Amino acid sequence: MPLFWLLLTLLAYLGSRWLYRRSGRYLLSPLILVPVLLLAVAIPLHTAYAEYARNTHWLMGVLGPVTVAFAVPIWQQRALLARHWPALLTGMVVGSSASIASSWGLAHLLALDTATSLSLVPRSITTPFAMPLAQDLGGVPELTAVFVMFTGVLGALFGGVLLRWLPLRTPLARGALFGVGAHGAGVSRAQEVGSEEGSVAGLVMVLTGLLNLCAAPLLALLL
Amino acid sequence: MNTALLKKTLRLLAEMAVIGALFLLGGKLAAWLGWPIPGGVMGLALLLLLFACGVLKPAMLQLGAGWLMAEMLLFFIPALMSLLDYGALVRDEGWRILLVIALSTLVVMVVTALTVEWVCRWSLHREP
């Protein structure tokens, strides 16, 4: 059945989205449940990635138009950006540098191979930006997508705990924590904390992705 | 058929077609200029330009852009399935990779939040 994997992917996605909306349980969110379900079917069947991707890879092509759509939140939040750009820009530059340095440094410390280490470097930015960045750096874009997913899952969990421990008085800092640290999954968490935190996180997520992608030639020289 | 739903669906499709066209145009433009920029980023810049000139209003694309961003997860699920080819990597390096991701994520979140907080307090301090 040629369209089996495409249909299963769509069904798993729609089912998990419905379940998550009804239950609100984090473990049932599509970010976790869909890959787990698909792997649970594919691994016993000894499916190779090429076989899975044959009829599903075009879905990844839609990530390009998603990048274009990011112009809407940037434009809508331009007043926020105009007012607070020094704090947000400093946070994004320092946060991204910390992300790249700690991913690369820890990967070397734990003796991971070069392709894996390079694929870890873009892990804290949103997937539509992280995959082309991995390509530019000589990593594996698909592996980067996996690392980005784990970053989102862990970041959304850590963020709530950190908010209790860190002395953050401004919604700007609380939003930036989620936007720079945990991209899309973080933005959803930030929206639960507050609407201002959510807007900041969404704006910062997109701008951090852009910033990292623009820094790609520099990073390629450094790494 | 419910006409309101039909109208909304057509509108969604039309908005996504505009966004898709900007993506393709962005790719062509980047290739023509010879810039090493993904088509999506070029399209994003074009769309910002159109907003700035007043040719398009964000409200005109709200539905399509919102849908694309809300369902983004569906579009990168196929990439996650690349794990099927990395069984050995998961077995040999899986825990170390997870440790890198967890520690680095903590570092990024703490550093970012404290930096933004400090800059905010510092600028509040300066302008009374």
Side-chain angles (χ1 to χ4, degrees):
Chain A
M1 210 174 117
L3 292 178
F4 173 73
W5 288 111
L6 179 62
L7 286 174
L8 193 68
T9 302
L10 292 174
L11 275 177
Y13 179 73
L14 291 173
S16 154
R17 198 183 61 171
W18 179 81
L19 263 178
Y20 179 58
R21 281 186 188 162
R22 283 193 62 124
S23 69
R25 280 180 189 277
Y26 190 54
L27 276 176
L28 296 180
S29 81
L31 185 62
I32 299 172
L33 190 58
V34 179
V36 168
L37 273 175
L38 291 175
L39 288 172
V41 178
I43 292 174
L45 290 175
H46 299 288
T47 313
Y49 175 56
E51 195 185 330
Y52 172 84
R54 194 175 304 138
N55 289 307
T56 52
H57 76 274
W58 62 271
L59 283 169
M60 288 191 276
V62 187
L63 288 172
V66 172
T67 316
V68 179
F70 283 149
V72 173
I74 295 183
W75 187 254
Q76 283 171 334
Q77 299 300 331
R78 65 192 188 285
L80 184 80
L81 186 62
R83 197 163 57 242
H84 296 297
W85 70 267
L88 292 179
L89 185 65
T90 316
M92 289 189 289
V93 171
V94 174
S96 295
S97 311
S99 169
I100 293 158
S102 61
S103 299
W104 185 247
L106 284 166
H108 271 252
L109 209 65
L110 294 173
L112 298 179
D113 64 89
T114 313
T116 310
S117 307
L118 283 172
S119 308
L120 274 164
V121 167
R123 52 148 209 96
S124 84
I125 60 176
T126 183
T127 317
F129 293 110
M131 290 180 75
L133 180 55
Q135 185 94 58
D136 286 351
L137 296 179
V140 185
E142 281 85 0
L143 264 185
T144 296
V146 175
F147 301 155
V148 169
M149 180 206 65
F150 277 107
T151 300
V153 171
L154 290 174
L157 287 174
F158 294 164
V161 181
L162 285 176
L163 283 193
R164 264 180 270 149
W165 286 88
L166 295 173
L168 305 174
R169 275 187 245 146
T170 61
L172 228 51
R174 292 193 290 265
L177 176 146
F178 283 111
V180 177
H183 55 89
V187 175
S188 319
R189 272 295 285 132
Q191 275 158 353
E192 288 165 24
V193 175
S195 68
E196 202 174 343
E197 280 86 351
S199 309
V200 172
L203 177 68
V204 161
M205 170 188 92
V206 177
L207 293 178
T208 306
L210 272 176
L211 201 71
N212 275 268
L213 201 52
C214 292
L218 181 71
L219 285 176
L221 276 180
L222 285 173
L223 299 177
Chain B
M1 169 117 189
N2 188 335
T3 45
L5 187 68
L6 184 68
K7 254 185 163 168
K8 201 180 161 190
T9 310
L10 284 176
R11 181 163 180 107
L12 179 69
L13 290 174
E15 291 187 11
M16 292 203 315
V18 173
I19 295 171
L22 280 167
F23 166 65
L24 294 176
L25 191 66
K28 288 252 187 295
L29 196 63
W32 182 66
L33 291 167
W35 292 359
I37 299 178
V41 175
M42 207 64 178
L44 186 157
L46 284 175
L47 187 51
L48 279 179
L49 205 66
L50 291 174
F51 287 154
C53 299
V55 178
L56 286 174
K57 285 192 171 55
M60 293 163 127
L61 295 176
Q62 190 106 50
L63 205 60
W67 189 87
L68 282 170
M69 289 185 286
E71 312 298 345
M72 186 169 99
L73 184 63
L74 173 64
F75 309 128
F76 66 79
I77 284 171
L80 302 181
M81 295 302 283
S82 67
L83 274 177
L84 288 172
D85 284 2
Y86 288 104
L89 184 77
V90 172
R91 268 192 303 279
D92 301 342
E93 304 187 8
W95 283 110
R96 279 182 284 161
I97 293 173
L98 266 186
L99 193 64
V100 173
I101 295 177
L103 289 176
S104 174
T105 301
L106 273 176
V107 169
V108 175
M109 289 185 138
V110 172
V111 166
T112 307
L114 292 180
T115 306
V116 174
E117 184 78 10
W118 280 330
V119 178
C120 280
R121 285 189 194 175
W122 178 76
S123 49
L124 274 179
H125 221 67
R126 282 187 59 223
E127 43 182 276

Coordinates of all heavy atoms in Angstrom, one line a residue, chain A residues 60-69, chain B residues 16-30 38-44 46:
Chain A
M60 N 7.8 18.0 4.5 CA 8.9 18.9 5.0 C 9.0 20.1 4.1 O 9.5 21.1 4.6 CB 10.2 18.1 5.1 CG 10.2 17.1 6.2 SD 11.8 16.4 6.4 CE 11.9 15.1 5.2
G61 N 8.6 20.0 2.8 CA 8.6 21.1 1.9 C 7.8 22.3 2.4 O 8.0 23.4 2.0
V62 N 6.7 22.0 3.2 CA 5.9 23.0 3.7 C 6.5 23.9 4.7 O 6.1 25.0 5.0 CB 4.5 22.4 4.2 CG1 3.5 23.5 4.6 CG2 3.9 21.5 3.2
L63 N 7.7 23.4 5.3 CA 8.4 24.2 6.3 C 8.9 25.5 5.6 O 9.1 26.5 6.3 CB 9.6 23.4 6.8 CG 9.2 22.3 7.8 CD1 10.4 21.5 8.2 CD2 8.6 22.9 9.1
G64 N 9.1 25.6 4.3 CA 9.5 26.8 3.6 C 8.4 27.9 3.7 O 8.7 29.0 4.2
P65 N 7.2 27.6 3.3 CA 6.1 28.5 3.5 C 5.9 28.9 5.0 O 5.5 30.0 5.3 CB 4.9 27.8 2.9 CG 5.5 26.9 1.8 CD 6.8 26.5 2.3
V66 N 6.1 28.0 5.9 CA 6.0 28.3 7.3 C 6.9 29.4 7.7 O 6.6 30.4 8.4 CB 6.2 27.1 8.2 CG1 6.3 27.5 9.7 CG2 5.2 26.0 8.0
T67 N 8.1 29.4 7.1 CA 9.1 30.4 7.4 C 8.6 31.8 6.9 O 8.7 32.8 7.6 CB 10.4 30.1 6.6 OG1 10.8 28.7 6.8 CG2 11.6 31.0 7.1
V68 N 8.0 31.8 5.7 CA 7.4 33.0 5.2 C 6.3 33.5 6.1 O 6.2 34.7 6.4 CB 6.8 32.8 3.8 CG1 6.2 34.1 3.2 CG2 7.9 32.3 2.8
A69 N 5.5 32.6 6.6 CA 4.4 33.0 7.5 C 4.9 33.7 8.8 O 4.1 34.5 9.4 CB 3.5 31.8 7.9
Chain B
M16 N -3.0 30.7 1.8 CA -1.8 29.8 1.7 C -1.1 29.9 0.3 O 0.1 29.7 0.2 CB -2.2 28.4 2.1 CG -2.6 28.4 3.6 SD -2.4 26.8 4.4 CE -3.1 25.7 3.2
A17 N -2.0 30.1 -0.7 CA -1.4 30.2 -2.0 C -0.5 31.4 -2.2 O 0.6 31.4 -2.8 CB -2.5 30.2 -3.1
V18 N -0.9 32.5 -1.5 CA -0.1 33.8 -1.6 C 1.2 33.5 -0.9 O 2.3 33.9 -1.4 CB -0.9 34.9 -0.9 CG1 0.0 36.1 -0.7 CG2 -2.1 35.3 -1.7
I19 N 1.1 32.9 0.3 CA 2.3 32.6 1.1 C 3.2 31.6 0.3 O 4.5 31.8 0.3 CB 2.0 32.0 2.5 CG1 1.2 33.1 3.3 CG2 3.2 31.6 3.3 CD1 0.6 32.6 4.6
G20 N 2.6 30.6 -0.3 CA 3.4 29.7 -1.1 C 4.1 30.3 -2.3 O 5.3 30.1 -2.6
A21 N 3.4 31.3 -2.9 CA 3.9 32.0 -4.1 C 5.1 32.8 -3.6 O 6.1 32.9 -4.3 CB 2.9 32.9 -4.7
L22 N 5.0 33.5 -2.4 CA 6.1 34.3 -1.9 C 7.3 33.4 -1.6 O 8.5 33.8 -1.8 CB 5.7 35.0 -0.6 CG 4.9 36.3 -0.9 CD1 4.2 36.7 0.4 CD2 5.8 37.4 -1.4
F23 N 7.1 32.2 -1.2 CA 8.2 31.2 -0.9 C 8.9 30.9 -2.2 O 10.1 30.9 -2.2 CB 7.6 30.0 -0.2 CG 8.5 28.8 -0.2 CD1 9.7 28.9 0.5 CD2 8.3 27.6 -0.9 CE1 10.6 27.8 0.5 CE2 9.1 26.6 -0.9 CZ 10.3 26.7 -0.2
L24 N 8.1 30.6 -3.3 CA 8.7 30.2 -4.5 C 9.5 31.4 -5.1 O 10.6 31.3 -5.6 CB 7.7 29.7 -5.5 CG 7.0 28.4 -5.1 CD1 5.9 28.1 -6.1 CD2 8.0 27.3 -5.0
L25 N 8.8 32.6 -5.0 CA 9.5 33.8 -5.5 C 10.8 34.1 -4.8 O 11.8 34.5 -5.4 CB 8.5 35.0 -5.4 CG 8.8 36.3 -6.1 CD1 8.8 36.1 -7.6 CD2 7.8 37.4 -5.6
G26 N 10.7 33.9 -3.5 CA 11.9 34.1 -2.6 C 13.0 33.2 -3.1 O 14.2 33.7 -3.1
G27 N 12.7 32.0 -3.3 CA 13.7 31.0 -3.8 C 14.4 31.4 -5.1 O 15.6 31.4 -5.3
K28 N 13.5 31.9 -6.0 CA 14.0 32.3 -7.4 C 14.9 33.5 -7.2 O 15.9 33.6 -7.9 CB 12.8 32.7 -8.3 CG 11.9 31.5 -8.7 CD 12.1 31.2 -10.2 CE 11.2 30.2 -10.8 NZ 11.5 28.9 -10.2
L29 N 14.4 34.5 -6.4 CA 15.2 35.7 -6.2 C 16.5 35.4 -5.6 O 17.5 36.0 -6.0 CB 14.3 36.6 -5.3 CG 14.7 38.1 -5.2 CD1 14.5 38.7 -6.6 CD2 13.9 38.9 -4.2
A30 N 16.6 34.6 -4.6 CA 17.8 34.2 -3.9 C 18.8 33.6 -4.9 O 20.0 33.9 -5.0 CB 17.6 33.3 -2.7
P38 N 18.0 30.6 2.2 CA 16.9 29.8 1.9 C 15.7 30.6 1.3 O 15.5 31.7 1.7 CB 16.5 29.1 3.2 CG 17.6 29.3 4.1 CD 18.4 30.5 3.7
G39 N 14.9 30.0 0.4 CA 13.8 30.7 -0.2 C 12.8 31.2 0.8 O 12.2 32.2 0.7
G40 N 12.6 30.4 1.9 CA 11.7 30.8 2.9 C 12.1 32.1 3.6 O 11.2 33.0 3.8
V41 N 13.3 32.3 3.9 CA 13.8 33.5 4.5 C 13.7 34.7 3.6 O 13.3 35.8 4.0 CB 15.3 33.4 5.0 CG1 15.8 34.6 5.6 CG2 15.4 32.2 6.0
M42 N 14.0 34.5 2.3 CA 13.8 35.5 1.3 C 12.3 35.9 1.2 O 12.0 37.1 1.1 CB 14.3 35.0 0.0 CG 14.8 36.0 -1.0 SD 16.3 36.9 -0.3 CE 16.6 38.0 -1.6
G43 N 11.5 34.9 1.2 CA 10.0 35.1 1.2 C 9.5 35.9 2.4 O 8.7 36.8 2.3
L44 N 10.1 35.6 3.5 CA 9.8 36.3 4.8 C 10.1 37.8 4.6 O 9.3 38.7 5.0 CB 10.5 35.7 6.0 CG 10.3 36.1 7.4 CD1 10.7 35.0 8.3 CD2 11.0 37.4 7.8
L46 N 10.5 39.5 1.8 CA 9.6 40.0 0.9 C 8.2 40.4 1.5 O 7.7 41.5 1.3 CB 9.3 39.1 -0.3 CG 10.4 38.9 -1.3 CD1 10.1 37.8 -2.3 CD2 10.6 40.2 -2.1

